């Protein structure tokens, strides 16, 4: 999705735009930021238990980053079937677009016993952390399961989302970090 830049006020807006309000300065779309958002993803083979992070630096010095890492399941969590062939376990998903950082935890499990398909079994709303910088504030933060079950043609996916306000109210955007489980891979995406 496209990102926006406030000219002469900040490097770029956080996460992708769904709506914008303009008070004073003109808003232009940064092709570098838009291209970075469209092409910056992180694929992690969770079957191997791997952790992965990636970052890219834009010409203005803004750093975009994504990370996925396995975390230990709570000690009372016996719901994940050991013999399942789909993805399973708890994962921390995080992303940073230079003006805001978001992280949250999700639990993956097989759609059914012995299934090859993965479902977003649980999101931990209490794990949602957002840090905002450079005059940025946020509200309405939540984690939303957009499609709980992976199928032969569609990924299971979840969105961490919030409404971000930048530059003293000059710009308001909805966005965050998305995670998609598909064909044995968990993908993190800034949106």
């Amino acid at each position: 999705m496209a990102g926006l830049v406030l000219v002469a006020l900040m490097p770029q807006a956080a996460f992708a735009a769904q709506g914008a309000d303009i008070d004073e300065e003109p808003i232009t779309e940064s092709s570098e930021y838009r291209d970075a958002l469209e092409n910056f993803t992180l694929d992690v083979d969770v079957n191997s238990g791997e952790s992965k992070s990636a970052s890219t630096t834009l010409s203005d010095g803004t750093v975009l980053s994504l990370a996925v890492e396995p975390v230990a399941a709570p000690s009372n969590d016996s719901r994940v079937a050991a013999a399942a062939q789909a993805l399973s376990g708890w994962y921390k998903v995080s992303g940073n677009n230079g003006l805001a950082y978001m992280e949250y935890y999700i639990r993956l499990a097989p759609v059914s016993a012995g299934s090859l398909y993965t479902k977003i079994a649980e999101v931990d709303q209490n794990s949602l952390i957002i840090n905002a910088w450079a005059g940025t504030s946020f509200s309405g933060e939540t984690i939303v399961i957009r499609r709980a079950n992976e199928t032969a043609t569609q990924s299971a996916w979840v969105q961490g989302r919030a409404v971000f306000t930048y530059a003293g109210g000059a710009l308001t955007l909805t966005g965050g970090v998305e995670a998609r489980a598909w064909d044995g891979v968990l993908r993190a995406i800034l949106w």
Side-chain angles (χ1 to χ4, degrees), residues 25-188:
E25 295 293 323
I27 297 175
T28 62
E29 184 176 278
S30 164
S31 62
E32 180 185 22
Y33 185 67
R34 183 186 68 242
D35 291 345
L37 280 182
E38 289 174 2
N39 298 308
F40 186 53
T41 61
L42 177 66
D43 293 343
V44 179
D45 178 0
V46 294
N47 282 328
S48 69
E50 87 180 338
S51 293
K52 206 182 248 188
S53 64
S55 65
T56 187
T57 304
L58 303 180
S59 63
D60 66 359
T62 299
V63 177
L64 307 179
S65 65
L66 291 169
V68 173
E69 63 183 89
V71 294
S75 59
N76 63 350
D77 189 355
S78 60
R79 296 168 286 186
V80 179
Q85 296 175 339
L87 302 177
S88 64
W90 282 94
Y91 280 83
K92 179 174 88 172
V93 179
S94 62
N96 177 1
N97 73 345
L99 294 176
Y101 168 84
M102 177 181 281
E103 80 175 40
Y104 56 90
Y105 292 80
I106 62 173
R107 185 173 64 84
L108 305 177
V111 170
S112 60
S115 176
L116 297 174
Y117 298 115
T118 301
K119 70 178 176 181
I120 308 293
E122 185 176 356
V123 297
D124 183 352
Q125 291 288 342
N126 294 325
S127 71
L128 182 61
I129 295 173
I130 299 175
N131 293 319
W133 304 277
T136 301
S137 62
F138 59 90
S139 63
E141 59 274 11
T142 190
I143 308 168
V144 179
I145 298 174
R146 293 296 186 189
R147 185 177 305 111
N149 296 334
E150 174 189 9
T151 67
T153 58
Q154 298 179 323
S155 63
W157 62 292
V158 61
Q159 282 184 330
R161 59 184 299 128
V163 177
F164 294 90
T165 303
Y166 304 98
L171 179 65
T172 300
L173 306 171
T174 300
V177 181
E178 184 175 290
R180 291 181 179 248
W182 174 254
D183 198 24
V185 173
L186 184 60
R187 172 174 280 185

